[in-house]
């Protein structure tokens, strides 16, 4: 679950980044669905990586970024943890000479995870729950993609956008498990 405000902040930072990637760290809480026992994430905020080394096609975090994230977690005192990271892909620049129709189908404009992204995720975010949000900045507009671990591989993941003022609460209704399964995001359902 990702608050719309976090997506808005990431989009704003992407627009202001110009011709370089930007990104940050996603923080929040790990939850277990009491009905099914499934784990899921609740992102509560993003901490911009103000010191990251950024180029058109890659982003690398610096030690000062980790120091700021830890300071923010300590200051917030809400028991949050680092859930993952986010960054942008600047398809509008990479694909600037392509037709709009080509850009609509382009993997850079619709959500991809580069080999550099995979290396960073494997190295820095190896926990089974770790995720990566990508802001796809294409000529056709901004979109968001999520990636995470599934059976030891990094794959696209689903996510739900929630209002920033509503936190997830465990259900109190003792209704049948089958009914709750339908209400969970597809990415949280068992295959």
């Amino acid at each position: 679950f990702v608050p719309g405000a976090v997506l808005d902040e990431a989009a704003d930072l992407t627009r202001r980044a110009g011709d370089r990637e930007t990104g940050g760290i996603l923080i929040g809480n790990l939850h277990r669905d009491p009905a099914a026992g499934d784990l899921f994430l609740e992102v509560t905020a993003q901490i911009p990586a103000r010191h990251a080394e950024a180029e058109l096609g890659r982003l690398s975090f610096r030690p000062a970024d980790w120091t700021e994230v830890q300071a923010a977690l300590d200051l917030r005192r809400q028991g949050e943890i680092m859930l993952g990271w986010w960054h942008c892909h600047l398809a509008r620049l990479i694909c600037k000479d392509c037709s709009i129709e080509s850009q609509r189908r382009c993997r850079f404009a619709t959500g991809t995870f580069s080999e550099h992204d995979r290396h960073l995720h494997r190295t820095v975010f190896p926990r089974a729950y770790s995720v990566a949000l990508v802001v796809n900045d294409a000529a056709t507009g901004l979109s968001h993609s999520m990636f995470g671990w599934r059976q030891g591989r990094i794959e696209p993941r689903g996510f739900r956008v929630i209002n920033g003022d509503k936190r997830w609460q465990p259900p109190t209704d003792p209704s049948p498990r089958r009914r709750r399964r339908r209400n969970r995001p597809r990415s949280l359902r068992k295959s």
Side-chain angles (χ1 to χ4, degrees):
F1 292 91
V2 182
V6 169
L7 298 178
D8 292 344
E9 289 172 16
D12 186 52
L13 290 167
T14 296
R15 288 183 193 102
R16 289 191 284 152
D19 63 352
R20 296 180 182 272
E21 284 193 11
T22 190
I25 304 300
L26 300 172
I27 64 171
N29 300 291
L30 186 61
H31 295 283
R32 182 175 298 279
D33 181 330
D38 294 334
L39 294 176
F40 66 93
L41 306 176
E42 175 196 21
V43 173
T44 53
Q46 67 84 27
I47 311 296
R50 297 182 316 121
H51 306 282
E53 186 177 308
E55 300 172 16
L56 176 58
R58 73 177 16 189
L59 181 77
S60 299
F61 295 104
R62 311 303 296 164
D65 293 312
W66 303 117
T67 301
E68 285 189 358
V69 169
Q70 190 57 56
L73 290 171
D74 293 344
L75 185 64
R76 290 169 64 94
R77 293 186 194 171
Q78 295 181 19
E80 297 155 309
I81 60 172
M82 284 189 282
L83 299 175
W85 61 298
W86 76 270
H87 70 293
C88 65
H89 285 170
L90 302 174
R92 66 179 163 74
L93 298 175
I94 295 169
C95 303
K96 65 182 176 188
D97 296 327
C98 301
S99 71
I100 294 293
E101 188 55 38
S102 293
Q103 289 183 43
R104 283 191 180 107
R105 294 187 310 266
C106 179
R107 64 186 177 96
F108 292 114
T110 58
T112 188
F113 215 55
S114 72
E115 192 51 45
H116 175 76
D117 298 341
R118 290 176 186 283
H119 176 73
L120 191 150
H121 198 75
R122 278 191 301 268
T123 304
V124 182
F125 297 98
R127 291 182 175 85
Y129 61 79
S130 297
V131 294
L133 176 71
V134 179
V135 179
N136 308 297
D137 184 4
T140 55
L142 290 178
S143 64
H144 300 89
S145 306
M146 183 78 74
F147 295 85
W149 294 102
R150 186 182 304 261
Q151 298 180 348
R153 295 183 5 207
I154 301 168
E155 296 188 5
R157 299 301 301 259
F159 67 98
R160 291 273 173 111
V161 179
I162 57 173
N163 294 333
D165 61 339
K166 293 184 181 177
R167 291 180 51 96
W168 181 84
Q169 296 294 322
T172 56
D173 178 7
S175 58
R177 179 177 174 174
R178 189 172 15 157
R179 188 166 143 200
R180 281 200 196 115
R181 275 181 70 85
R182 277 187 297 227
N183 292 332
R184 287 197 328 248
R186 180 172 297 277
S187 64
L188 297 176
R189 295 179 191 162
K190 293 182 180 178
S191 301

